[in-house]
Amino acid sequence: MKLKVYADRMSQPSRAVIIFCKVNRIDFEEVRVDISKRQHITPEFKEINPMRKLPAIVDGRFKLFESHAILIYLACVFPGVADHWYPTDLFKRAKINSVLDWHHSNLRRGAVEYVKNTTLAPALGLPLDPQAAAEAEKVLFSSLSNIESVWLKGSGRFLLGGNQPSIADLSLVCELMQLEVLDEKDRSRILSPYKKVQQWMEDTKNATRPHFDEVHQILFKAKTKLQKVRLMSTNSENLKTKLASRM
Amino acid sequence: MKLKVYADRMSQPSRAVIIFCKVNRIDFEEVRVDISKRQHITPEFKEINPMRKLPAIVDGRFKLFESHAILIYLACVFPGVADHWYPTDLFKRAKINSVLDWHHSNLRRGAVEYVKNTTLAPALGLPLDPQAAAEAEKVLFSSLSNIESVWLKGSGRFLLGGNQPSIADLSLVCELMQLEVLDEKDRSRILSPYKKVQQWMEDTKNATRPHFDEVHQILFKAKTKLQKVRLMSTNSENLKTKLASRM
């Protein structure tokens, strides 16, 4: 029975798992679970992942969730996955685990909360929260600074001085791609101080093309849609100001 | 050269690593880094862990931080660590990774933020934040509920239906032990609905005695100290009320 990957490509860890499967030619079936339609909280999906989060996989009778655990499992179980993704060398592996653990409470927390509280909250039926956004921004900047100065310290193009990407590169870059839905000026303000981070993102994209771009299509569409909404809102504000100035 | 473990026993992930070493008779030197004296932000410690967090280890020339990554490394590298701590079976290992990943943004986030914002903030030079505490409480309750109904679903005494503890049991129970510094009534209110969780905590303590108790001594001392402070503050409030009623 083919590996099933339950995913919503709007979710960054879902994208990391799908890209990993495609790049490594793992034969899988993608089962779309649309978060915006609340398909992740149905009783059917609870059978797959009782925590109701994406991504999740079913491999034969084996069920698993949490994207880092999934990436490690796929790298270890599927033959043909190149060693650089999750090296058998215990020291290299330990360092990758360290980056992945760090990710949870740092880059992920900062990026998710910032994007939610500046942009996506209304789409989730929540109010925008400027204070939460300000706190998340601090975590995000501190995380980017640590990626630049600690994880990208070596001479290699990838995290931990590697010359080829690991699952940590893929996971963290997919996280940062979520910033695409921000206002473009804001995204540029956040990323522009971090030259190494920008180059590493490019290198990770290049190492996983064409799958990287294909899997991110949905995000670029969402970006265009959100830009239109912003433009309409700005035009409407301008019109109000014009009318008010004539009264 | 002996393994060095940089730790502050007031930090729950530090305790998990120390207990793991002791239970598995790993020969190590504990280097105390006192967070209350801000020793974790010194230039010397930055050489050990550039992220300035505890615990961290130095094994020969190899440096590592993030407690889950450390526990996995120790379980894989040191001979004599029993298989149940981090089984070589890839399916069991994947499930343990899943629990450990889940821990970061759920139990850990809820417990750390709740304890900080109801109790420890003043000791860290921060104000108590009731709103943040209320939000953390939701995450904490949801996490406890998921431990009870998902991770402790099986018939075994430990997480994932195991009959012997894994590094996930140790990590999560050390996290929950941090609730000891709360007011005892509040701790009881939080834990009492979760009977399986309470039994599992006891079972994990029993499986790692006498080291579990010994390594937690500092926490019990802090608990006593905080109780005295609370009592004095209550007595002083009572005195004020008495005096006010006589005026």
Side-chain angles (χ1 to χ4, degrees):
Chain A
M1 210 162 70
K2 212 187 264 192
L3 170 76
K4 281 188 181 182
V5 177
Y6 294 78
D8 180 336
R9 292 187 181 194
M10 274 302 289
S11 115
Q12 50 277 50
S14 287
R15 292 195 299 269
V17 169
I18 296 169
I19 294 167
F20 184 82
C21 287
K22 286 181 177 256
V23 169
N24 289 290
R25 297 178 187 191
I26 293 172
D27 190 22
F28 75 107
E29 178 193 342
E30 182 180 341
V31 184
R32 189 176 178 199
V33 183
D34 191 330
I35 295 176
S36 73
K37 290 181 183 158
R38 303 179 71 76
Q39 289 174 346
H40 60 303
I41 58 165
T42 60
E44 292 77 36
F45 186 64
K46 202 184 170 192
E47 290 299 308
I48 306 299
N49 179 359
M51 303 293 186
R52 303 170 169 191
K53 299 268 173 146
L54 293 169
I57 62 165
V58 176
D59 188 21
R61 283 171 306 156
F62 185 67
K63 290 174 189 171
L64 190 67
F65 54 89
E66 284 291 337
S67 70
H68 295 171
I70 292 172
L71 290 168
I72 290 173
Y73 170 81
L74 296 176
C76 294
V77 163
F78 281 83
V81 173
D83 192 66
H84 63 83
W85 287 106
Y86 192 60
T88 44
D89 177 282
L90 287 178
F91 298 98
K92 288 184 184 170
R93 191 168 275 198
K95 288 282 192 183
I96 292 173
N97 289 341
S98 178
V99 178
L100 291 171
D101 285 333
W102 173 86
H103 180 197
H104 288 284
S105 305
N106 294 281
L107 179 64
R108 177 153 185 77
R109 188 164 174 179
V112 164
E113 294 296 323
Y114 187 78
V115 168
K116 188 176 85 180
N117 289 300
T118 58
T119 309
L120 292 186
L124 304 164
L126 298 165
L128 294 173
D129 182 338
Q131 199 195 325
E135 280 166 29
E137 189 183 281
K138 280 187 215 159
V139 180
L140 180 54
F141 274 125
S142 157
S143 300
L144 285 165
S145 173
N146 278 324
I147 295 177
E148 183 99 356
S149 64
V150 179
W151 299 128
L152 288 172
K153 195 183 174 186
S155 57
R157 288 183 301 147
F158 297 100
L159 299 173
L160 302 164
N163 288 316
Q164 285 179 293
S166 77
I167 54 174
D169 294 280
L170 186 56
S171 177
L172 272 62
V173 170
C174 283
E175 191 72 59
L176 279 171
M177 285 303 291
Q178 207 71 356
L179 302 181
E180 288 284 343
V181 300
L182 298 178
D183 175 84
E184 193 51 32
K185 271 190 198 161
D186 198 34
R187 195 181 80 92
S188 168
R189 175 185 69 89
I190 291 169
L191 289 177
S192 61
Y194 306 102
K195 304 299 176 204
K196 276 185 170 182
V197 169
Q198 288 174 297
Q199 185 57 51
W200 158 69
M201 288 176 74
E202 275 312 303
D203 289 336
T204 304
K205 287 177 200 175
N206 286 332
T208 53
R209 282 205 163 109
H211 311 293
F212 193 94
D213 304 313
E214 187 247 313
V215 175
H216 279 86
Q217 275 310 313
I218 189 170
L219 195 72
F220 296 129
K221 278 185 193 162
K223 181 190 178 99
T224 310
K225 212 169 162 182
L226 282 159
Q227 274 172 335
K228 275 186 193 159
V229 172
R230 271 187 216 107
L231 194 65
M232 279 168 69
S233 149
T234 312
N235 287 346
S236 144
E237 280 304 311
N238 288 348
L239 190 65
K240 272 187 207 164
T241 316
K242 261 189 194 171
L243 288 171
S245 71
R246 285 180 193 174
M247 274 156 79
Chain B
M1 211 162 69
K2 211 187 263 189
L3 171 75
K4 282 189 179 180
V5 177
Y6 294 79
D8 180 337
R9 291 187 182 195
M10 275 302 290
S11 116
Q12 50 277 48
S14 287
R15 292 196 299 271
V17 169
I18 296 169
I19 293 167
F20 183 83
C21 287
K22 287 182 177 254
V23 168
N24 289 291
R25 298 180 185 187
I26 292 172
D27 191 21
F28 75 107
E29 178 193 343
E30 182 180 342
V31 184
R32 190 177 177 198
V33 182
D34 191 331
I35 295 176
S36 73
K37 290 180 183 158
R38 304 179 70 75
Q39 291 174 347
H40 61 303
I41 57 164
T42 60
E44 293 77 33
F45 187 64
K46 201 185 170 190
E47 289 298 309
I48 306 299
N49 179 358
M51 303 292 187
R52 302 171 169 193
K53 299 268 174 147
L54 292 169
I57 62 166
V58 177
D59 189 19
R61 284 173 303 157
F62 186 66
K63 291 175 186 169
L64 191 65
F65 55 90
E66 284 290 338
S67 71
H68 294 170
I70 292 172
L71 289 168
I72 290 173
Y73 171 80
L74 296 175
C76 293
V77 163
F78 281 83
V81 174
D83 191 67
H84 62 82
W85 287 107
Y86 192 61
T88 43
D89 177 281
L90 287 178
F91 298 97
K92 288 183 182 169
R93 188 167 276 197
K95 288 281 193 184
I96 291 172
N97 290 340
S98 177
V99 178
L100 291 172
D101 285 332
W102 173 86
H103 180 197
H104 288 282
S105 305
N106 294 280
L107 179 63
R108 178 153 185 78
R109 187 164 176 180
V112 165
E113 294 295 323
Y114 187 78
V115 169
K116 187 176 87 181
N117 289 300
T118 57
T119 309
L120 292 186
L124 304 166
L126 298 166
L128 295 174
D129 183 337
Q131 198 195 327
E135 279 165 30
E137 190 182 281
K138 278 187 218 159
V139 180
L140 181 54
F141 274 124
S142 157
S143 301
L144 285 164
S145 173
N146 278 324
I147 296 176
E148 184 99 357
S149 64
V150 179
W151 300 127
L152 289 171
K153 195 182 175 189
S155 57
R157 288 183 300 145
F158 298 100
L159 299 173
L160 303 164
N163 288 314
Q164 285 180 293
S166 77
I167 53 174
D169 293 280
L170 186 56
S171 177
L172 272 61
V173 170
C174 283
E175 191 71 60
L176 280 172
M177 285 302 291
Q178 207 71 357
L179 303 181
E180 288 284 342
V181 300
L182 299 178
D183 175 84
E184 193 50 34
K185 270 189 199 161
D186 198 33
R187 196 181 80 92
S188 168
R189 175 186 69 88
I190 291 168
L191 288 176
S192 62
Y194 306 101
K195 304 299 176 204
K196 276 185 169 183
V197 169
Q198 287 174 297
Q199 185 56 52
W200 158 68
M201 288 176 75
E202 276 312 304
D203 289 336
T204 304
K205 287 177 200 176
N206 286 331
T208 54
R209 283 206 162 106
H211 310 293
F212 193 95
D213 304 312
E214 187 247 313
V215 175
H216 279 86
Q217 275 309 313
I218 190 170
L219 194 72
F220 297 129
K221 278 185 193 162
K223 181 190 178 96
T224 311
K225 211 168 161 183
L226 282 159
Q227 274 172 335
K228 275 185 193 160
V229 172
R230 272 186 215 107
L231 195 65
M232 279 168 67
S233 147
T234 313
N235 286 345
S236 144
E237 281 303 311
N238 287 347
L239 190 65
K240 271 188 206 163
T241 316
K242 260 189 194 171
L243 288 171
S245 69
R246 283 178 194 171
M247 276 156 77

